[in-house]
């Protein structure tokens, strides 16, 4: 099993939960400071919260033992927890510090007679929860989006 990424005990892999799209967002905290008779100047106050977004499509009945569906249940139960995120976890993965799973959303289509979707679109939002990122982790994360 080739692991694309790991977040705690959850493995994103081709045989269970492979993500289709990975997005990253980081913004600066900037506030205008009023000046009488002139345009406001900008006060730079550091960084906002860094987020990662993942989207995946599950076909739970096409995998042995519905492994993809099990991963979805684990993710739902893990909302609010902080875990270590590892990129390229199939070999010598790079730790990208801790991230909190803020939300899990899913849309189920092609409903099976038991009421579960045979095709499930999943979206995840993770928030950065680590201390100052090491230079090696910064380079590795940049490589994911480079």
């Amino acid at each position: 099993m080739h692991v694309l990424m790991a977040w705690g005990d959850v493995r994103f892999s081709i045989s269970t939960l492979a993500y289709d799209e990975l997005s990253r967002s980081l913004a600066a905290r900037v506030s205008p400071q009023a000046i009488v008779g002139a345009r406001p100047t900008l006060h730079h106050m550091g960084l906002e919260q860094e987020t990662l977004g993942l989207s995946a499509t599950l076909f739970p009945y096409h995998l042995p033992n519905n492994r993809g569906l099990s991963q979805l249940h684990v993710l739902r139960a893990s909302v609010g927890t902080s875990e270590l995120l590892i990129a390229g976890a199939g070999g010598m993965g790079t730790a990208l510090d801790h991230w909190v799973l803020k939300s899990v959303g899913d849309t189920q289509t092609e409903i099976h007679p038991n009421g579960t979707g045979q095709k499930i679109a999943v979206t995840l939002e993770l928030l950065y929860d680590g201390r100052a990122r090491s230079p090696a982790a910064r380079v590795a994360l940049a490589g994911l989006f480079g």
Side-chain angles (χ1 to χ4, degrees):
M1 166 173 70
H2 180 72
V3 178
L4 304 168
M5 186 180 293
W7 178 79
D9 292 334
V10 176
R11 300 294 181 260
F12 297 93
S13 70
I14 300 302
S15 61
T16 57
L17 181 60
Y19 54 87
D20 304 318
E21 187 174 284
L22 177 65
S23 62
R24 176 184 177 197
S25 175
L26 178 62
R29 288 185 297 154
V30 180
S31 178
Q33 182 176 2
I35 298 176
V36 176
R39 289 184 181 185
T41 60
L42 295 178
H43 181 66
H44 299 270
M45 301 181 299
L47 297 175
E48 291 285 347
Q49 184 64 52
E50 186 172 3
T51 63
L52 284 178
L54 291 132
S55 62
T57 305
L58 291 174
F59 299 94
Y61 294 100
H62 296 175
L63 297 172
N65 303 321
N66 297 334
R67 287 182 302 196
L69 198 54
S70 300
Q71 290 273 55
L72 181 57
H73 293 308
V74 169
L75 286 167
R76 286 181 184 148
S78 300
V79 170
T81 58
S82 180
E83 298 285 349
L84 183 63
L85 182 69
I86 301 173
M92 294 297 291
T94 303
L96 302 177
D97 227 328
H98 284 78
W99 293 74
V100 171
L101 181 58
K102 180 181 177 188
S103 66
V104 176
D106 63 269
T107 303
Q108 300 187 20
T109 57
E110 302 175 26
I111 306 301
H112 188 273
N114 71 7
T116 305
Q118 296 181 70
K119 179 180 179 184
I120 304 172
V122 180
T123 57
L124 307 174
E125 183 180 10
L126 295 111
L127 300 176
Y128 179 62
D129 188 34
R131 287 166 250 126
R133 181 171 287 135
S134 70
R138 221 179 354 262
V139 168
L141 189 56
L144 289 175
F145 303 97

